[in-house]
Amino acid sequence: MTKVRVAGFTDPRGDDDYNQALSLRRADSVKDEMVREGMDASGIAVDGKSFHDPLVPTGPGVREPKNRRAVIDLGG
């Protein structure tokens, strides 16, 4: 069975606590949809990365839609 990891990310708007919680909600939302589509929830792990691993580097507080994302790792 393949283990799946879903990581949520944010842009740097807001403080770290807020963004950490937001990134976890984003990852949980993706997991919920995967389960709704028939995947076994026990095989899906979630992680929140906040704004610490941006897809597009920006300055503090800069909005960047590409950094607000979830990444699905098959095999994680």
Side-chain angles (χ1 to χ4, degrees):
M1 178 172 145
T2 301
K3 285 286 191 181
V4 177
R5 178 169 299 278
V6 180
F9 299 85
T10 66
D11 64 20
R13 302 269 307 175
D15 67 29
D16 198 35
D17 289 339
Y18 172 81
N19 280 310
Q20 180 61 31
L22 177 59
S23 64
L24 282 171
R25 286 194 310 273
R26 185 165 283 144
D28 280 330
S29 178
V30 171
K31 177 183 177 179
D32 290 346
E33 183 62 20
M34 294 168 82
V35 170
R36 192 184 73 74
E37 290 291 328
M39 291 186 72
D40 181 0
S42 67
I44 305 170
V46 296
D47 192 16
K49 300 288 189 177
S50 188
F51 54 80
H52 300 292
D53 188 14
L55 185 64
V56 178
T58 65
V62 176
R63 294 177 188 227
E64 174 50 63
K66 291 179 183 175
N67 289 335
R68 298 187 299 259
R69 69 196 192 280
V71 175
I72 302 168
D73 179 11
L74 303 176

